[in-house]
Amino acid sequence: MTSIIIQPSKLQGEIDLPTSKSHSIRSIIFASLAKGKSRLYKLLDSPDIEQALKACQMMGAKITYTNEFIEIEGTNGTFNPPEGDIDSGNSGQVLRFIGALAALGHGRTTLTGDESVRTNRPVKPLLDALNALGASAKSVLENDCAPIVIEGPACAGKVTVKGEDSQPVSGILMLAAFLEGETEITVKKAGEKPWIDLTLSWFDRMHIPFEKKGYSYYKIKGKNTLQPFEYVVPGDFSSAAFPVAAAFATKSTLTLKNIDMDEVQGDKKFFDALNKMGATFNYNATKKEMLVDGTQPLKGCELDVNDYIDAITILAVIGCLAEGTTTIKNAAIARKKESDRISCICKELKKMNAEIEETPDGLIVKKSELRDATVESHDDHRIAMSLTIAGLFAKGTTIIQNIHCIKKSYPSFVDHLSHLGAEIKVK
């Protein structure tokens, strides 16, 4: 068991943000489906990225690794059933995106994953959509989770997808781009909308034509041929939330580099949430740098986080800092991520003396005097990092157990905090 031990600290300095996990995975998938050789630079060094690369390689893409980039020779719009099962690890994106695209080929593909993927990451909306498009798709254990078996090919047509979780919708959008003919997709209860925007930004980049009406209807012309490309993965807004919160937790001033406010990423709205709580940020568009003044007082407010759902755990910590009460709502889908993030962050922050309560779709947090405790990550990278930030302003020594999961999205997290001056060690 590996743990973080952290004490109240004062921070100062600058860091380069890690690159985007979501962009990394999409770039791998589109390169794998292109005609010719693409080069991808600055892919996130993450187990999820490794699983995405292995999955695409098993489906027919040819991948070459160099010190500067990864070169992928694509399959020109086809995926072939692999020899052996595809392990999506802890990645819902790999499970749902590759699961959808497996329906391009003739034959059977089985996808599995770790315990979280097999028990807490529902895939029924994807399976229902694939079956409606003529493929055979089922959950082996009939528990609406992995392992799943996909047998293609799917056919273009009309399909309805449940959209509270954006990943099945993105998966079906990708699939439709390569089917023979035109596909019309109706989405019920669309959620996590900026992540659909992220997928469609890749459609624009790859010149895949589409029509849309809000987030409830899409028309995709199929049989697209993608040209190879070069791509540099940008900084990740989901990860940016943690050093930003660290600045406020320690009343410090920090500089974040490799941050592009013109980027299409859902968790960019985290900054809007802090603006609503009273924070202001100094952004240099030329340098792509942001100065974060954590000495500004924050006030609690009501936050609808559905567009930036991954920020719920760190916003719960920030709620402990803010004057008054912070109400976080419209986050029910957060219960179906790497962990039940609503329940787990509530449970662990209560160990640290937080005044926090869960609701069916969120949290209610009051300003709290946090104290030392031993807390658990629940094998969830965002909970592990959020509790570490809480330890920066809790009285005494905080121990966060099982922190191996942090490498999923922010492998340099501990090094960055140490570089900024945090009293932190791994044991």
Side-chain angles (χ1 to χ4, degrees):
M1 183 189 302
T2 306
S3 301
I4 285 174
I5 302 171
I6 191 162
Q7 299 184 49
S9 307
K10 184 70 175 179
L11 307 183
Q12 185 178 6
E14 60 183 34
I15 55 170
D16 276 297
L17 290 178
T19 53
S20 165
K21 177 162 64 75
S22 295
H23 271 309
S24 291
I25 290 175
R26 285 166 174 80
S27 70
I28 291 165
I29 288 173
F30 283 107
S32 296
L33 289 163
K35 182 181 181 181
K37 296 179 179 180
S38 299
R39 289 184 175 182
L40 309 180
Y41 297 82
K42 295 188 177 180
L43 289 173
L44 180 67
D45 180 14
S46 157
D48 284 19
I49 306 311
E50 293 175 13
Q51 297 307 132
L53 287 164
K54 289 177 183 177
C56 288
Q57 197 167 34
M58 290 178 71
M59 302 291 269
K62 297 178 181 178
I63 300 177
T64 303
Y65 297 82
T66 76
N67 291 331
E68 294 184 17
F69 56 82
I70 290 178
E71 184 175 83
I72 300 179
E73 184 175 354
T75 63
N76 193 19
T78 63
F79 268 167
N80 298 314
E83 294 183 7
D85 298 351
I86 291 176
D87 182 2
S88 58
N90 187 240
S91 176
Q93 291 185 70
V94 173
L95 177 70
R96 284 133 175 177
F97 297 172
I98 300 298
L101 291 163
L104 287 172
H106 293 261
R108 177 177 296 187
T109 300
T110 300
L111 297 99
T112 187
D114 71 359
E115 183 179 0
S116 171
V117 164
R118 296 194 311 271
T119 59
N120 197 54
R121 311 298 284 276
V123 75
K124 189 174 187 299
L126 175 65
L127 301 181
D128 289 346
L130 291 175
N131 284 317
L133 289 172
S136 172
K138 64 181 181 180
S139 169
V140 173
L141 301 179
E142 298 183 354
N143 64 347
D144 298 333
C145 292
I148 59 173
V149 177
I150 312 298
E151 211 166 343
C155 300
K158 294 183 178 181
V159 63
T160 298
V161 188
K162 288 184 65 177
E164 293 98 331
D165 188 316
S166 66
Q167 289 175 3
V169 180
S170 283
I172 295 299
L173 285 167
M174 293 178 192
L175 171 64
F178 300 98
L179 296 177
E180 184 83 50
E182 191 171 79
T183 299
E184 295 183 56
I185 303 166
T186 299
V187 179
K188 300 293 187 183
K189 297 182 179 179
E192 300 184 316
K193 296 171 183 176
W195 300 107
I196 301 300
D197 292 334
L198 188 69
T199 297
L200 294 177
S201 76
W202 273 94
F203 275 42
D204 289 334
R205 180 185 300 275
M206 304 309 298
H207 306 291
I208 299 171
F210 65 91
E211 299 176 26
K212 69 187 290 279
K213 295 178 182 177
Y215 293 89
S216 63
Y217 174 84
Y218 305 88
K219 182 185 290 186
I220 312 295
K221 293 182 179 180
K223 211 61 179 174
N224 287 277
T225 298
L226 309 188
Q227 297 304 310
F229 58 94
E230 292 194 353
Y231 180 66
V232 181
V233 183
D236 186 55
F237 279 94
S238 300
S239 297
F242 297 99
V244 169
F248 286 94
T250 60
K251 299 188 185 304
S252 303
T253 299
L254 305 177
T255 299
L256 308 185
K257 304 173 73 175
N258 189 30
I259 184 167
D260 185 353
M261 295 303 289
D262 291 328
E263 244 298 301
V264 182
Q265 291 183 44
D267 282 350
K268 182 168 63 174
K269 292 193 175 183
F270 169 79
F271 289 93
D272 296 336
L274 289 196
N275 287 152
K276 190 175 180 181
M277 298 178 84
T280 57
F281 300 96
N282 187 352
Y283 176 63
N284 186 319
T286 302
K287 294 184 177 181
K288 291 184 171 52
E289 293 181 359
M290 179 172 286
L291 181 67
V292 182
D293 180 2
T295 66
Q296 301 169 96
L298 300 177
K299 294 183 179 180
C301 62
E302 183 175 278
L303 299 171
D304 181 334
V305 301
N306 190 259
D307 281 351
Y308 49 107
I309 203 81
D310 285 341
I312 186 172
T313 59
I314 192 61
L315 284 171
V317 173
I318 291 171
C320 295
L321 286 167
E323 292 293 335
T325 300
T326 300
T327 301
I328 303 171
K329 66 177 188 177
N330 201 12
I333 196 63
R335 295 189 182 277
K336 298 295 183 180
K337 299 294 182 178
E338 285 83 340
S339 69
D340 179 341
R341 286 180 171 162
I342 294 173
S343 177
C344 291
I345 194 63
C346 183
K347 176 183 178 180
E348 301 306 321
L349 285 176
K350 279 186 175 181
K351 293 178 184 177
M352 300 178 73
N353 197 45
E355 293 189 58
I356 182 171
E357 299 293 336
E358 63 177 286
T359 65
D361 72 338
L363 295 159
I364 299 172
V365 192
K366 294 183 179 180
K367 183 177 173 64
S368 306
E369 293 291 332
L370 300 187
R371 61 177 181 233
D372 58 301
T374 297
V375 291
E376 167 63 42
S377 74
H378 297 267
D379 291 322
D380 189 320
H381 56 130
R382 302 203 190 280
I383 288 179
M385 290 187 284
S386 297
L387 294 171
T388 302
I389 302 303
L392 285 171
F393 67 98
K395 292 181 179 178
T397 300
T398 301
I399 300 173
I400 302 96
Q401 295 180 324
N402 288 320
I403 53 88
H404 60 280
C405 51
I406 289 174
K407 62 184 179 181
K408 176 182 174 77
S409 62
Y410 200 155
S412 55
F413 176 70
V414 172
D415 289 340
H416 278 179
L417 285 182
S418 180
H419 169 74
L420 294 170
E423 294 187 44
I424 184 172
K425 60 182 179 179
V426 176
K427 186 176 180 180

